Amino acid sequence: MTASHAGASGAKTSSPQNLLVLASSLWAWVFLGLMIAFFAIAVPAVGGASFFTLRNSMNILVAITPVLLLGLGQTFVIIAAGIDLSVGWVMSLASVFSALFIRAAFDAGVPLFPSVCFGLVGAVGVAAIVGFVNGVIIAKLKVPAFIVTLGSSFIVRGVALLFSENTTVIGLPQGIRDYGNESLFYVVHGDGGGFYAFQRPEVSAELLRQMDRILTWPVVLTAVVVLLCAFLLRRTQFGRHTYAIGGSLQASLRTGIPVDRHLIKIYMLSSMTAGVAGFLSTLRFTAGSAVIGDPLLLSSIAAVIIGGVSLSGGAGTILGTVIGSLIIAVLTTGLVMLNVQAFWQFIVVGIVVIAAVLIDQSRDLFLGRRGSRN
């Protein structure tokens, strides 16, 4: 009888816990859906334009690309109970070095596509060095990640400005713009238009203004990185160790997980995704900028938090980070279309971030209290 009573009591206590976990997991999806519905009604009513257009949807995807790439690596770091404040400037450093490598290779007679590949390898390689140094200091010297990555962000900023000579790196071959702005598919509206794949159609100037690009190459590459990161986090030992370290560092050490080596890899991964973001920025703007990533750091952290990655570590998903990035992009785009001033956009995003943290903390607090009672 006692056992059955305990079982019934356990069922009663688990029900609110399950509901809380479900609500904390789905709130971002619900908020995104409500936000899209709001803008779909408000934008036509206020400005006369339509929020639901193919071009606007593709613009949102392009807008989230750098934020999402920074957030992907940050997801691994925060799940492991860390933080990386250097990724914004690592992106800038990668943009500068990818531009320098592409220009040097092309000027030396290397064809365009191999030059672009050389720029990608150079950008990711330089970024990986920064992540390796961060990881070694954090893991081996036991310096708090906040201090290490804050300090390295200043160093990386100085190096980026030094190698760019405090200006934009230009003189790149114009052909790289196609890699940064052309698309997988095209839709040309109007008479004489149609659907095209893999190659931009040769159309008149009038039809060109009615052409929509579907899935630009940076978006496609970002999608590939997202899938690789999702697989790495959910289906590999690397991901399981990441969750374990964030859940309990001491327990991970006792079970034989090589914590120091794993932390170094995590910070390298964080910098490498930022390196990809910097490389894609160079392709998109046909130039290397030493300041391009600076405004994106906080947005990337906000996307991770909104997406449900726990600040205390041990919980989070790549899909959540994607949703968080979409929320920020949709929110910003919708407010711009409503002619809302920029400072209100910052205020609204800040409120959403605080709400996400409160939801995360309330979930952990409730579950912790329930666990201590049991």
Side-chain angles (χ1 to χ4, degrees), residues 196-216:
Y196 302 86
F198 306 113
Q199 187 174 2
R200 185 178 63 182
E202 297 295 334
V203 296
S204 64
E206 181 178 352
L207 286 179
L208 186 63
R209 289 192 293 269
Q210 302 179 54
M211 183 175 69
D212 288 334
R213 293 174 168 84
I214 304 176
L215 300 179
T216 62

Side-chain angles (χ1 to χ4, degrees), residues 33-52 334 337-338:
L34 293 175
M35 190 168 54
I36 291 174
F38 169 77
F39 287 130
I41 297 172
V43 169
V46 174
S50 175
F51 186 76
F52 272 128
M337 296 182 72
L338 290 175

Side-chain angles (χ1 to χ4, degrees), residues 52-362:
F52 272 128
T53 63
L54 181 60
R55 180 170 299 181
N56 196 41
S57 300
M58 292 302 105
N59 288 339
I60 289 174
L61 290 183
V62 171
I64 73 168
T65 294
V67 173
L68 179 55
L69 284 168
L70 297 183
L72 290 175
Q74 195 78 255
T75 299
F76 285 85
V77 172
I78 296 180
I79 288 176
I83 192 70
D84 191 347
L85 300 180
S86 66
V87 289
W89 286 106
V90 170
M91 175 183 170
S92 300
L93 181 71
S95 176
V96 169
F97 271 88
S98 62
L100 292 174
F101 289 152
I102 291 172
R103 187 175 67 183
F106 191 77
D107 290 346
V110 179
L112 180 61
F113 182 72
S115 296
V116 171
C117 294
F118 185 58
L120 173 60
V121 173
V124 176
V126 170
I129 293 173
V130 178
F132 177 78
V133 174
N134 284 342
V136 167
I137 297 175
I138 292 167
K140 298 296 185 180
L141 302 181
K142 311 303 179 186
V143 182
F146 180 90
I147 301 300
V148 175
T149 57
L150 178 62
S152 67
S153 69
F154 284 100
I155 297 172
V156 171
R157 176 182 185 178
V159 173
L161 293 171
L162 176 66
F163 277 86
S164 67
E165 298 179 349
N166 200 25
T167 187
T168 303
V169 180
I170 57 175
L172 279 67
Q174 289 300 311
I176 71 168
R177 188 174 182 84
D178 292 340
Y179 293 103
N181 295 276
E182 298 306 329
S183 305
L184 194 60
F185 307 109
Y186 300 86
V187 174
V188 180
H189 304 280
D191 295 335
F195 179 83
Y196 302 86
F198 306 113
Q199 187 174 2
R200 185 178 63 182
E202 297 295 334
V203 296
S204 64
E206 181 178 352
L207 286 179
L208 186 63
R209 289 192 293 269
Q210 302 179 54
M211 183 175 69
D212 288 334
R213 293 174 168 84
I214 304 176
L215 300 179
T216 62
W217 292 116
V219 171
V220 173
L221 181 57
T222 301
V224 172
V225 177
V226 167
L227 293 176
L228 289 175
C229 288
F231 176 80
L232 188 64
L233 185 61
R234 301 299 300 182
R235 301 295 182 182
T236 67
Q237 187 182 62
F238 184 90
R240 290 190 292 272
H241 286 178
T242 302
Y243 283 113
I245 291 171
S248 174
L249 179 61
Q250 295 304 317
S252 299
L253 289 169
R254 289 195 294 269
T255 56
I257 295 176
V259 173
D260 289 353
R261 185 170 63 191
H262 192 82
L263 286 175
I264 293 172
K265 292 178 181 178
I266 285 176
Y267 282 93
M268 287 182 68
L269 176 62
S270 178
S271 290
M272 289 167 69
T273 59
V276 175
F279 165 74
L280 293 180
S281 169
T282 297
L283 296 187
R284 183 182 177 190
F285 299 106
T286 322
S289 172
V291 296
I292 190 69
D294 181 33
L296 302 179
L297 168 64
L298 296 181
S299 294
S300 68
I301 296 176
V304 174
I305 295 171
I306 293 171
V309 177
S310 176
L311 289 173
S312 57
T317 64
I318 295 298
L319 180 59
T321 299
V322 174
I323 296 301
S325 301
L326 276 173
I327 286 175
I328 292 177
V330 170
L331 185 60
T332 303
T333 302
L335 292 176
V336 168
M337 296 182 72
L338 290 175
N339 296 320
V340 176
Q341 292 180 316
F343 59 84
W344 282 109
Q345 299 172 28
F346 294 124
I347 292 172
V348 173
V349 172
I351 292 172
V352 174
V353 171
I354 293 173
V357 173
L358 290 175
I359 292 172
D360 173 60
Q361 295 297 319
S362 63

